[in-house]
Amino acid sequence: MRRWFRSARVFTRLTPYMLAFLRDRRRFILVGSPVRRSEAHHQKRADRLADTVADLGPTFIKLAQILSARADIFPEPYLSAISRLQDQVPPDDPDTVIAVLEESLGSPVGEVFDDFDREPLAAASLGQVHAATLDGREVVVKVLRPGVEELVALDLDVSFRLLFWLNILFPNHHVRALTNVVREFSVKVREEMDFAQEADHIRRFQGFFPASSGVRAPRVVENLTRRRVLVMHRERGTKVTELQSRFDSGDLRFDDFMERLTGAYLRMMLLDGFLHADPHPGNLLVAENGDIVILDWGMVLDVPRWTREAILNIALAVEREDLDAIINEMYGMGMISPEVSRGEIREAATEIMRIMERARDSNRERIQEIVQEIFDTFYTWPLMLPQELVYFFRTSALLEGVGLTYRPNFDGLGLVRRVVRGARDEILENTVKEPVAFAKDLLAEANTVLRSLRELLTRAEREELRVRVHPRDIQGQERFVHLQARRLLFAIFATATAVISAIVYVAIRNVWVLLAGLALSLFLFVVTVFIPTHLLENPLRHARGIRPDSRRY
């Protein structure tokens, strides 16, 4: 019963926005020209959407935080609106939190801690943080909210049911990308609700960043950490958005701080392949000695080596304006469906290159407009951002936002170039093959191409050349024929209905039978003409595999 009530609430709250988005593309949902909307109308709708998501609870707040970086799913101003959602909810009753804590530790709070503050330091959607004292040291105790696992599992089940029907009715790249996001989120949020895994993430990070690096994470109290409880040494410091007084006093230098922060995330992304996946100002502190402290390691991202190489190759291809190399890497990273034609994507890549060319000669005020144009290109064309690039963009937005907080003319791109230049040797060593090995691979590929070309010419001269059609192309032709046959059957059925109605009318002289038959025939003809082709297919083929494994929860 609870599932039905929750489904009804989510459906009734989100359906109006879904219909509004569909009408933005087609006036009558399935057919028609787009409905023209003013910027003020979109801004007002975006603000209402953010309020609705916040009201739906922790699952949708966390999901919205991920979607706020998905320019391939939502356009502006919706990205900005949902990015402002704060992961803050009213705290749970202290007694219920203490009950979870005591159940996990197997002992009363008074026996474990010297002192435990019942009032939380922070109350997020999944967990609650309390201050405590342990053996004379200040610690923080992170406790999973009671009932949050069941609520998240229920919300994900409802979400996948809605996506099931969206994939049936509107199978486009936006819906597919949204499905991929929710599927990935269903895995990540499970990890985030397991505090033992978060402790493991912290240990991995500390292995990559020694204490002397100036970047650290809180130390974990191992013997008190459980799946629903995480105890850490308390880190005190200044939030990254409140450093102005320290910059003014000379206690901290802005340039050094930004280079260290940018270098840390660049190292995680391109060198270590282990990225902090929840970057926002609330998770960054600057300690009294100047160290950067990164909090909340519930969500991390393992970036495989081939992905790091692909990101670097795309950056190099953009720099030398090599469209074919850009498109090859985009296909390799899964940004483009294999079914999308290369010519269509080439137009999108050309558009992005044109925008980047204008960026080189633009002033600071124009940069934000250019970034918006790139986001619009991602939204318009059938591109899907891989999760690695999504978190890369989120991190870039964090660094840019922190820099602009203190310097209106902050040049984030220039800072990244300086940091990359300083770590160039290490990046190339970890992401690019050695020159000798690269040259050998290049010669081997050239030799293979020449042999294949010679064999091709030889077969052509002997009239032995055969052209094979890929099975996917044959299946595509079969699918087209089957769908047109179904459309033809609809038309035949409509004609038969009209003829039978006329015969029955002649026999019994009942005008209502004739009118009903002709109306049904006309309706079938309209359906035959206007029904979208994909709705003639087996609807289940569009939604296979979008539901998560229920055993995970």
Side-chain angles (χ1 to χ4, degrees), residues 79 110 319 343 348 382 411 418 482:
L79 290 177
E319 185 66 26
D411 182 9
R418 290 198 304 272
H482 289 163

Side-chain angles (χ1 to χ4, degrees), residues 437-472:
F438 180 79
K440 287 182 178 179
D441 289 346
L442 187 61
L443 288 174
E445 289 180 8
N447 188 34
T448 302
V449 170
L450 289 175
R451 286 184 179 179
S452 300
L453 182 59
R454 184 176 62 181
E455 183 179 354
L456 179 64
L457 293 175
T458 301
R459 288 190 176 187
E461 290 175 355
R462 297 174 181 174
E463 298 183 357
E464 296 176 352
L465 186 62
R466 294 182 180 181
V467 178
R468 294 183 180 179
V469 180
H470 195 281
R472 181 183 295 154

Side-chain angles (χ1 to χ4, degrees), residues 99 416 428 493 530:
V416 171
L428 291 177
F493 187 68
F530 293 106

Side-chain angles (χ1 to χ4, degrees), residues 347-365:
E347 293 183 35
T350 302
E351 181 65 23
I352 293 176
M353 292 296 298
R354 190 180 301 120
I355 295 171
M356 296 293 291
E357 183 65 29
R358 291 205 303 273
R360 295 177 181 176
D361 302 322
S362 299
N363 55 30
R364 184 66 194 170
E365 289 72 19

Side-chain angles (χ1 to χ4, degrees), residues 244-315:
Q244 189 61 59
S245 60
R246 298 185 64 174
F247 291 142
D248 294 339
S249 66
D251 176 51
L252 202 64
R253 291 187 68 251
F254 175 79
D255 291 336
D256 291 344
F257 163 72
M258 287 304 302
E259 286 187 11
R260 193 144 40 91
L261 181 62
T262 303
Y265 275 100
L266 185 70
R267 179 180 184 86
M268 284 189 276
M269 185 70 185
L270 292 181
L271 298 180
D272 302 329
F274 181 73
L275 180 66
H276 179 253
D278 193 12
H280 64 78
N283 286 339
L284 294 173
L285 296 178
V286 179
E288 187 176 350
N289 65 351
D291 284 357
I292 297 173
V293 183
I294 304 178
L295 308 175
D296 196 352
W297 286 88
M299 290 181 65
V300 300
L301 182 68
D302 285 300
V303 186
R305 185 184 184 90
W306 70 267
T307 302
R308 286 178 269 157
E309 292 178 355
I311 293 174
L312 183 62
N313 289 338
I314 288 179

